[in-house]
Amino acid sequence: MKLEKHLLYIDITQFCGVGCDFCMYADKHNKIHLKLSPYAKNNLSNLINDPSVKRVSVSGEGEPLNNLAAFYSILQLSKGNVSFEFITSGYICHDKLLDFYGKIDNILSSNGDTCNIRLSSDSHHIPKLKNKPHGISISNFQNKKYKSLTLSFRSIDPDKQFSREYLTSEITLYGFKSSIEEVSLLEDKLIIDDSQYNLDYKNLVWPQDVKGDYLNMWQYIKTLEKKYGKLFTLGSINNGDEVNGLDITIKPNGNVYFYGIEWICLGNIHEDYFSIEKLVKKVIDDSLIRSLYTIPFVEVVENLSNHIDIDKLIEKVNNPYWLLKEVHHKNNTLLASIF
C-alpha cells in the first residue's frame, strides 16, 4: 500500500472569543493551548519537513490567533519549501492583523516557505466580528504587500449568497470592483482585476437547527469525487491517478489522530516518537484504518447499514468524517468487528 502527499493539521488552541451561533467545537472552548515542549518540537519538525507532506494546516478547536506563539514556533521549525495554511476568523484589530501578516511573511520568506491565509467568511462568523478583516486584507494583497503569503476564504454556511454579497460589498469599500465565478458546488472564485481568490464551502456538520438549503452528505461526497476524479475514502484525497495520503491531526493537548478516526489515539507528541514513516506503517498494519483508507465510503456505509440505523445518523451528522465518530460513539466495537 502506497501513501503520498499527506495533510498535517495542527490545532493550536481551544480558546475562542468570537462566539459564533454555530460551532462544531463549542463544547471544547476555553480549555487549553498547544504548548511545544522540546520533544514535541522534534516530532513536529520530523513531520513538517518530510517531503511527502503536501500541506501543514494550522487551525484550532478555537481561534488560532489566540496562540500565535505556537504558530511562530511551528514556522521556525521549517527547513524550507513547506506549504503552510492558517485558518482564522481574523477577528483582531486591523493594525495587529497587518502586523501579523508582515511578521509571518518575513519568517516564511527567510525560510523559503509559503502560507495561505484562509479567512472565515460566513454568516456564523461575520456578524460576531467587530473588526472585519476581509476588505483590509484584500486591499493589502491587491497592493502586493507580501512575498510569501496568499489569501483565500472559507464558509461553513449553506447561504452562499451571504458570503458572495458580503465579500463583494466589503471590497467596494476599499475601491475595488469584483465579481464571483462559480466553479462547483463547493468552490467559487472572487475575481478582482487580474487576481483570483478562492472561496471554499464546507458541508454543514450537525445541521439540525440551521435553516435553509445545504448539501447533504451524499451530495458533498459526489462533489468531492467529481473534483478529484476518484471514489471517496478517508485519508487525504489527491487528484486522479495519484495515490492518496495520510490525513493527520494534532490536537491542542498533543494527541495525534487520523482525521475521522479520532477514537484511535496514535500517541502524543510530548511523549511518543513520530515520523511519517511510522504513521504510514500504522495504516498498513491496522486492518480497520487500512480498510477506511481503501474501501470506498459508500461501501463502508452499506456494510454499516446491516448493523445500525445509519440513515438516521447520516441525516443527523451530515458529514462522512463525523459520521464514523458518531457510529463509534453509539457502538464502540462495531467498526472493528466489520472491518
Side-chain angles (χ1 to χ4, degrees):
M1 181 181 181
K2 194 174 183 181
L3 293 162
E4 294 180 346
K5 294 187 176 181
H6 314 297
L7 181 58
L8 174 62
Y9 274 97
I10 308 174
D11 288 337
I12 61 175
T13 189
Q14 292 179 331
F15 284 78
C16 187
V18 178
C20 297
D21 295 329
F22 174 85
C23 181
M24 296 177 289
Y25 296 110
D27 62 323
K28 299 182 183 299
H29 285 172
N30 303 324
K31 293 183 179 179
I32 55 174
H33 283 322
L34 176 67
K35 297 179 181 179
L36 297 181
S37 63
Y39 199 81
K41 287 182 179 180
N42 287 335
N43 275 320
L44 287 177
S45 180
N46 289 339
L47 299 175
I48 288 169
N49 292 298
D50 192 294
S52 63
V53 172
K54 66 180 178 182
R55 187 168 74 251
V56 179
S57 183
V58 177
S59 185
E61 295 175 332
E63 170 50 64
L65 286 172
N66 290 321
N67 192 13
L68 287 181
F71 183 47
Y72 294 143
S73 294
I74 290 167
L75 292 179
Q76 297 285 14
L77 294 173
S78 168
K79 296 178 182 177
N81 199 34
V82 176
S83 177
F84 289 98
E85 176 180 64
F86 189 79
I87 303 173
T88 176
S89 68
Y91 80 103
I92 56 179
C93 68
H94 289 171
D95 287 346
K96 289 184 177 180
L97 183 67
L98 298 184
D99 285 346
F100 166 65
Y101 288 166
K103 183 171 182 176
I104 61 173
D105 189 55
N106 288 335
I107 295 172
L108 293 162
S109 298
S110 65
N111 287 344
D113 299 326
T114 61
C115 181
N116 180 57
I117 305 293
R118 288 181 73 195
L119 290 177
S120 298
S121 310
D122 51 66
S123 66
H124 301 294
H125 287 87
I126 301 306
K128 301 294 183 179
L129 301 181
K130 179 181 178 181
N131 305 296
K132 294 179 172 56
H134 306 79
I136 189 72
S137 295
I138 290 172
S139 178
N140 272 257
F141 278 87
Q142 282 296 108
N143 290 318
K144 312 298 183 186
K145 296 285 187 180
Y146 310 110
K147 298 177 182 178
S148 302
L149 288 180
T150 56
L151 179 68
S152 68
F153 306 96
R154 66 189 289 267
S155 171
I156 59 169
D157 197 333
D159 188 356
K160 292 183 179 181
Q161 200 60 30
F162 174 90
S163 298
R164 292 165 174 169
E165 291 179 0
Y166 166 74
L167 287 172
T168 53
S169 64
E170 279 290 297
I171 294 164
T172 301
L173 298 177
Y174 288 82
F176 297 101
K177 293 182 179 179
S178 62
S179 60
I180 296 287
E181 177 184 315
E182 184 176 51
V183 177
S184 73
L185 289 174
L186 296 175
E187 298 175 87
D188 283 345
K189 287 191 182 296
L190 176 68
I191 300 173
I192 308 171
D193 298 329
D194 59 349
S195 299
Q196 296 184 357
Y197 301 88
N198 290 336
L199 169 55
D200 298 321
Y201 300 96
K202 301 296 182 183
N203 82 315
L204 207 56
V205 182
W206 301 100
Q208 282 72 29
D209 298 325
V210 177
K211 296 180 180 179
D213 295 329
Y214 54 85
L215 284 181
N216 66 40
M217 189 190 78
W218 293 120
Q219 291 172 315
Y220 175 64
I221 287 173
K222 286 183 181 299
T223 303
L224 291 176
E225 290 179 339
K226 182 177 180 180
K227 175 181 179 179
Y228 292 106
K230 62 175 63 173
L231 295 175
F232 177 84
T233 65
L234 292 198
S236 180
I237 306 176
N238 295 315
N239 289 323
D241 294 333
E242 295 178 329
V243 298
N244 291 341
L246 303 172
D247 200 345
I248 309 158
T249 298
I250 299 174
K251 294 297 183 181
N253 65 358
N255 284 347
V256 181
Y257 304 91
F258 292 128
Y259 185 52
I261 319 176
E262 282 92 338
W263 64 90
I264 300 176
C265 183
L266 305 170
N268 188 286
I269 59 170
H270 301 289
E271 302 170 357
D272 305 295
Y273 171 77
F274 280 97
S275 68
I276 292 298
E277 182 181 14
K278 177 182 177 181
L279 291 170
V280 168
K281 187 175 186 302
K282 175 64 176 178
V283 174
I284 294 171
D285 291 346
D286 189 296
S287 61
L288 173 58
I289 300 174
R290 186 176 67 251
S291 295
L292 296 177
Y293 264 55
T294 55
I295 299 174
F297 195 78
V298 64
E299 294 183 26
V300 172
V301 172
E302 286 174 356
N303 276 303
L304 288 172
S305 66
N306 296 320
H307 305 272
I308 193 171
D309 188 353
I310 197 69
D311 290 334
K312 185 178 291 186
L313 281 181
I314 290 172
E315 183 179 357
K316 178 182 177 182
V317 178
N318 199 47
N319 180 280
Y321 304 100
W322 289 69
L323 175 66
L324 294 184
K325 289 186 281 188
E326 187 67 8
V327 168
H328 180 76
H329 177 72
K330 296 287 186 183
N331 184 333
N332 62 14
T333 62
L334 178 59
L335 284 159
S337 69
I338 297 174
F339 302 104

